[in-house]
């Protein structure tokens, strides 16, 4: 393998410890995450993080060379939240993947901005631990390497998609309701039903106000319970398709 300048990766350099004030990478990452959680990712900058730490911007550059390195620290801090302690990790593949998926969902729901804003972050040690743990969940199965990777990708797709959809629902529910727009949308739907091209949609709503029908369709369940129900459908389907041992 050709050698290169590994110092370009923050993980290959020791943390500075000879100057004052002294900060750890964990402190820097935690400060940046707190900013993103409370004010949005756009609020995160080297200058702002330094100010929150009570340091000058140039002092922060002593610990973190670039904004990309700051993003890498943030991403790895989040992946550290995702990792499950070994003594809590289930032995059965189904329970293990469920634990990984639920832990990931919990973390991303706390930091929903991360899916978009940190997607190009370089992989750090906690991300590698998470991937290793995900593979460990399937170690006792007879799946081929490609099948393991495909199953983990499907679970990740479901988790990430559910987080994004939940964030959309939260934003929609927080927005003010414009009754005039809703009434216009209902009239439009009714005009479309009259064409006879949407019999299944018409049957679903039964000629009733969607605002009354949707809550009954969704049911009175929490975001987490809806996530768990969908995850079970994904894993049950995987068990049948891949001939995995049942739960």
């Amino acid at each position: 393998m050709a050698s290169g300048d590994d110092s370009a990766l923050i993980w290959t350099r020791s943390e500075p410890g000879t100057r004052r004030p002294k900060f750890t990478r964990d402190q820097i990452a935690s400060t940046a995450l707190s900013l993103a959680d409370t004010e949005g990712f756009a609020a995160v900058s080297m200058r702002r993080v330094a100010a929150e730490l009570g340091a000058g911007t140039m002092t922060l550059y002593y610990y973190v060379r670039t904004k990309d390195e700051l993003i890498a620290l943030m991403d790895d801090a989040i992946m550290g939240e995702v990792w499950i302690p070994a003594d809590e990790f289930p032995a059965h593949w189904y329970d293990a993947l469920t634990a990984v998926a639920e832990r990931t969902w919990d973390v991303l729901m706390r930091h929903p901005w991360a899916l978009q804003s940190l997607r190009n972050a370089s992989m750090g040690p906690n991300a590698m631990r998470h991937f290793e743990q995900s593979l460990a969940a399937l170690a006792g199965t007879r799946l081929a390497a490609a099948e393991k990777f495909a199953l983990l990708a499907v679970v990740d797709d479901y988790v990430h998609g559910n987080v994004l959809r939940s964030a959309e629902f939260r934003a929609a529910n927080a927005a003010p309701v414009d009754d005039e727009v809703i009434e216009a949308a209902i009239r439009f739907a009714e005009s479309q039903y009259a064409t006879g091209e949407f019999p299944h949609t018409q049957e679903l709503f039964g000629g009733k106000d969607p605002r009354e029908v949707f809550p009954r369709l969704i049911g009175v369940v929490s975001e987490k319970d809806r996530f768990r129900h969908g995850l079970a459908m994904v894993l049950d389907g995987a068990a049948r398709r891949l001939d995995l041992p049942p739960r």
Side-chain angles (χ1 to χ4, degrees):
M1 179 181 295
S3 61
D5 181 13
D6 286 344
S7 67
L9 295 174
I10 191 171
W11 317 113
T12 63
R13 303 194 306 269
S14 299
E15 293 197 51
T18 59
R19 292 188 181 181
R20 301 292 181 181
K22 185 183 296 184
F23 302 110
T24 67
R25 288 171 179 169
D26 287 345
Q27 287 175 308
I28 294 170
S30 178
T31 300
L33 288 179
S34 180
L35 272 174
D37 288 340
T38 56
E39 301 182 29
F41 182 75
V44 178
S45 67
M46 299 288 278
R47 182 187 299 274
R48 184 66 189 281
V49 171
E52 293 293 319
L53 287 167
T57 305
M58 294 310 297
T59 300
L60 185 61
Y61 278 111
Y62 178 66
Y63 299 91
V64 184
R65 293 178 179 176
T66 65
K67 176 72 175 291
D68 285 343
E69 288 194 353
L70 178 60
I71 290 173
L73 290 182
M74 295 171 70
D75 182 72
D76 209 55
I78 287 178
M79 297 312 297
E81 296 179 33
V82 170
W83 189 80
I84 301 171
D87 60 352
E88 299 176 16
F89 198 63
H92 194 282
W93 74 269
Y94 191 111
D95 296 328
L97 278 191
T98 297
V100 170
E102 289 191 358
R103 184 70 159 254
T104 305
W105 187 89
D106 287 337
V107 171
L108 291 177
M109 288 294 283
R110 291 197 296 270
H111 313 290
W113 50 268
L115 280 176
Q116 296 292 334
S117 301
L118 302 183
R119 59 186 174 184
N120 294 323
S122 60
M123 177 178 286
N126 285 326
M128 292 190 68
R129 291 187 187 102
H130 167 65
F131 187 58
E132 174 70 14
Q133 190 166 68
S134 298
L135 289 172
L138 299 173
T141 69
R142 298 180 179 179
L143 294 179
E147 291 175 318
K148 291 178 181 179
F149 191 81
L151 177 53
L152 294 180
V154 167
V155 173
D156 265 353
D157 286 349
Y158 171 70
V159 174
H160 292 186
N162 187 275
V163 170
L164 289 172
R165 176 57 64 87
S166 296
E168 290 174 355
F169 281 151
R170 286 183 178 185
N173 290 334
V177 177
D178 188 331
D179 289 330
E180 185 175 335
V181 171
I182 291 177
E183 293 296 337
I186 292 174
R187 290 194 298 272
F188 172 74
E190 289 173 345
S191 70
Q192 295 302 297
Y193 296 156
T195 67
E197 296 181 10
F198 305 95
H200 302 297
T201 305
Q202 188 173 10
E203 181 182 8
L204 180 68
F205 289 103
K208 298 180 180 178
D209 190 327
R211 288 168 290 189
E212 298 176 6
V213 178
F214 271 124
R216 291 200 299 270
L217 294 175
I218 297 174
V220 185
V221 295
S222 67
E223 290 175 325
K224 185 64 173 286
D225 285 339
R226 279 199 296 273
F227 168 76
R228 285 172 170 159
H229 178 69
L231 178 62
M233 294 175 69
V234 170
L235 295 182
D236 289 345
R240 289 192 294 272
R241 185 178 184 89
L242 298 173
D243 194 26
L244 289 165
R247 189 177 191 180

